[in-house]
Amino acid sequence: PIVVAHFARFSTTNKTALKILTQENVLVGGFFVISGYVAAYTSTKLGERAADEKKLAKPELFFWQKVMGYYPLHFVTLSVFTPMFLQVERWFKTPLTTTLNRAFLSFTMLQAWFPKEAEIWNQPTWFLSALTFSNLTMPAVLPAVAELSKNGLRKLFCALTAVSLLQKISFSETTRFHVHNVTKQTTYPLIWNLTRF
């Protein structure tokens, strides 16, 4: 779905099709569902309605184990490309305080919580920023979710999907605010980022 969203503009000039196919802000929700499923599957007792107390006994350990699964590569990649990001900041005459703030947000993976800064430097890492917060909440949420029946899980899934889609549908006109601009109007990325983060 993400590949389709990024390359759809090269396959058609039909504006309606483009508005439907380039809504990757909706499709990205699938990544969160899959990530949540994997976290739940690996942290619950198979065949039982119970969380694995051993894995969730120390929430801070659970959190750091999850984060350290992706942070080292994030850190190395960001470190390698930081000189390039700094040069771009210089070319655009960005104030030093703003540049340092962006570096801080990028290295600490906090950028997704600030829509104006969400896609600074390494744009795909906004997902890691949001995933880090999710990992922080998992030890508190998983035991309650693990106790749900199949019907309860289905209802929870539908409710969470509805909440997610309601927010995205309410801003369904955001195609004009992002890179796949089909209307060729002036764009303001802050509104686009607010619908994603």
Side-chain angles (χ1 to χ4, degrees), residues 57-110:
K58 296 182 180 177
E60 66 282 355
L61 181 62
F62 176 88
F63 171 76
W64 287 113
Q65 284 176 333
K66 296 291 183 187
V67 171
M68 293 317 280
Y70 52 84
Y71 187 78
L73 181 59
H74 167 74
F75 180 82
V76 169
T77 303
L78 194 55
S79 296
V80 167
F81 287 98
T82 291
M84 179 188 68
F85 299 136
L86 292 174
Q87 184 59 44
V88 170
E89 299 283 6
R90 289 185 64 209
W91 286 338
F92 282 93
K93 297 180 177 30
T94 306
L96 180 61
T97 54
T98 302
T99 301
L100 292 175
N101 183 51
R102 289 177 175 173
F104 173 77
L105 292 175
S106 291
F107 277 99
T108 59
M109 292 190 299
L110 295 172

Side-chain angles (χ1 to χ4, degrees), residues 162-180:
V163 168
S164 177
L165 286 176
L166 180 63
Q167 185 270 335
K168 289 171 177 76
I169 290 170
S170 69
F171 288 97
S172 64
E173 289 298 310
T174 61
T175 54
R176 68 176 178 251
F177 296 110
H178 65 88
V179 72
H180 306 301

